[in-house]
Amino acid sequence: MNTQSLRLAFAAGALSILAGGLADAGPAEPTYPPEPVTSNTPPGTQDNFDVTYNVCRGTDPRCYHPWIQNRQNKVLLYTRTASPRHANLGPALAPGLNPPLTAANVVQNAIIKWMAEVGVAVDYTEDVQTLATQLAGLGTPPNGNYKAVIFISTSRDALWKHGTAIDPAQAKNTSTNAYLDHAKVSLRQFIRGGGGFVGVHNAFGTEYNWPWYEGLLGNANYYSHGPFQEGDVQTVAKSDSSTDALPARWHFKDEWYNLLPFPTNVKFLATVDESTLPAGAADVHPGHGSFHPVAWCQYYDGGRAWLTTLGHDAGAFTDGSSFPGQAYFKQLVVNGILSAMGNVPFCQ
């Protein structure tokens, strides 16, 4: 193939990716139960393997693990903040699983209500040790039977066990339970076992210095945002279960996160039309011009990840509010969670 032909082929491929991501006509889900892993085979085909994050990002049966079919119809919501805290989360929650909520805990109340409407139970916590043990499947019977874990507006090192005295000679002090990266280990093992991950809004402002987590977000991270303002969301993946029945264009209000790095090897679901933002998208970062993604999905390290940068304001989580696009945002998030759980087709 001559140089001109190569350039044309590359351009066509790039346009195809931008139009709908890498998974528009993706491979069929592996059958369950999968074949046993009994040999030292490569972790994925060349197309599935990401050398940056050293993980499989695809559905090759040697590295994608659809083991979640045996799990309960339940998700675990995590909203811990280790620095800035969005107002829609309300006051910090008490330790443990499912502590009392107040009316000010808008996000937690909304997700519990929304998922109950589609027959899905929700446990919730802001206790890093509880997150770790729940995802690890400890206890009798095992309590890690979730189909997906949801991070909504967590912040900074939200998976680090802060404020616990440690014994310098031990990784874990049995008298204080100071296993400092237990949650990080449990989250990765949960995903590698075929679990689903949903990241909403400031989940992108979390664990900046953990490359594996950046890859889980789709090779993306929060960098900055423009003013909180109204704009038009464009549904760019009309064949996906998480965007089915959404209009091609719908009005919403958000901070419109700018990303660095820019997501790659994902299926793009929705973008914001920067030309509809009165104050523009820039804040140090120049914005993304004609293609500014706000939702996408991918297979990652054995599991599924569904992501959206939307969801800054309490009004977006308040049914019946006058917040622009609230019903469409709810539909996007609920269907995104269902797809990450495997209850509906994922990232087709």
Side-chain angles (χ1 to χ4, degrees):
M1 182 179 290
N2 60 33
T3 302
Q4 179 69 12
S5 298
L6 283 172
R7 288 175 177 166
L8 290 172
F10 179 81
L15 287 172
S16 175
I17 291 171
L18 288 177
L22 293 180
D24 278 335
E29 287 277 309
T31 57
Y32 187 88
E35 290 295 318
V37 179
T38 57
S39 62
N40 185 23
T41 57
T45 64
Q46 183 177 358
D47 290 339
N48 275 191
F49 196 72
D50 188 314
V51 296
T52 302
Y53 301 108
N54 197 34
V55 299
C56 167
R57 295 176 72 182
T59 55
D60 187 294
R62 292 170 292 181
C63 58
Y64 171 59
H65 309 135
W67 302 335
I68 63 173
Q69 282 83 346
N70 288 338
R71 298 184 182 177
Q72 298 176 28
N73 202 38
K74 182 187 287 190
V75 294
L76 179 62
L77 172 64
Y78 190 57
T79 50
R80 182 174 186 246
T81 52
S83 190
R85 186 173 179 88
H86 278 67
N88 60 13
L89 296 179
L93 303 185
L97 190 68
N98 302 332
L101 297 173
T102 71
N105 298 118
V106 174
V107 165
Q108 298 89 336
N109 287 316
I111 296 301
I112 293 168
K113 175 179 178 290
W114 291 357
M115 299 316 297
E117 291 172 353
V118 292
V120 174
V122 177
D123 284 338
Y124 58 92
T125 189
E126 290 185 0
D127 184 337
V128 66
Q129 185 64 32
T130 297
L131 174 81
T133 55
Q134 291 297 116
L135 292 184
L138 303 178
T140 305
N143 54 19
N145 281 325
Y146 302 102
K147 288 187 175 182
V149 60
I150 306 166
F151 282 30
I152 299 184
S153 288
T154 47
S155 67
R156 305 307 187 260
D157 53 342
L159 293 172
W160 185 255
K161 188 171 173 61
H162 300 81
T164 305
I166 63 169
D167 182 338
Q170 296 178 309
K172 179 174 181 178
N173 185 322
T174 55
S175 64
T176 64
N177 204 25
Y179 180 1
L180 299 183
D181 66 348
H182 188 186
K184 293 174 73 172
V185 172
S186 294
L187 175 62
R188 184 167 188 184
Q189 294 295 67
F190 176 78
I191 297 301
R192 293 173 78 184
F197 177 82
V198 174
V200 176
H201 201 53
N202 208 55
F204 286 85
T206 299
E207 296 293 340
Y208 280 107
N209 297 308
W210 186 17
W212 181 88
Y213 183 82
E214 180 181 280
L216 180 66
L217 297 177
N219 177 45
N221 246 319
Y222 166 80
Y223 183 81
S224 69
H225 62 75
F228 182 56
Q229 60 188 312
E230 295 186 25
D232 286 355
V233 176
Q234 297 172 300
T235 305
V236 296
K238 300 177 179 62
S239 61
D240 194 84
S241 60
S242 65
T243 55
D244 278 350
L246 284 176
R249 182 180 287 263
W250 45 284
H251 211 54
F252 194 62
K253 188 174 184 179
D254 215 285
E255 295 176 317
W256 313 109
Y257 280 4
N258 297 312
L259 305 163
L260 189 70
F262 188 84
T264 57
N265 294 341
V266 300
K267 179 183 181 181
F268 293 112
L269 302 170
T271 64
V272 57
D273 181 351
E274 287 189 2
S275 70
T276 66
L277 303 179
D283 178 9
V284 182
H285 187 293
H288 297 297
S290 61
F291 195 85
H292 186 147
V294 297
W296 56 91
C297 57
Q298 65 161 340
Y299 291 91
Y300 185 81
D301 201 16
R304 301 170 164 123
W306 189 93
L307 299 313
T308 182
T309 60
L310 304 179
H312 171 74
D313 195 80
F317 293 90
T318 305
D319 289 344
S321 70
S322 60
F323 193 84
Q326 191 276 328
Y328 293 134
F329 172 75
K330 174 182 178 179
Q331 180 179 334
L332 177 71
V333 170
V334 170
N335 287 338
I337 294 171
L338 290 173
S339 71
M341 294 174 69
N343 286 14
V344 297
F346 177 74
C347 214
Q348 298 160 290

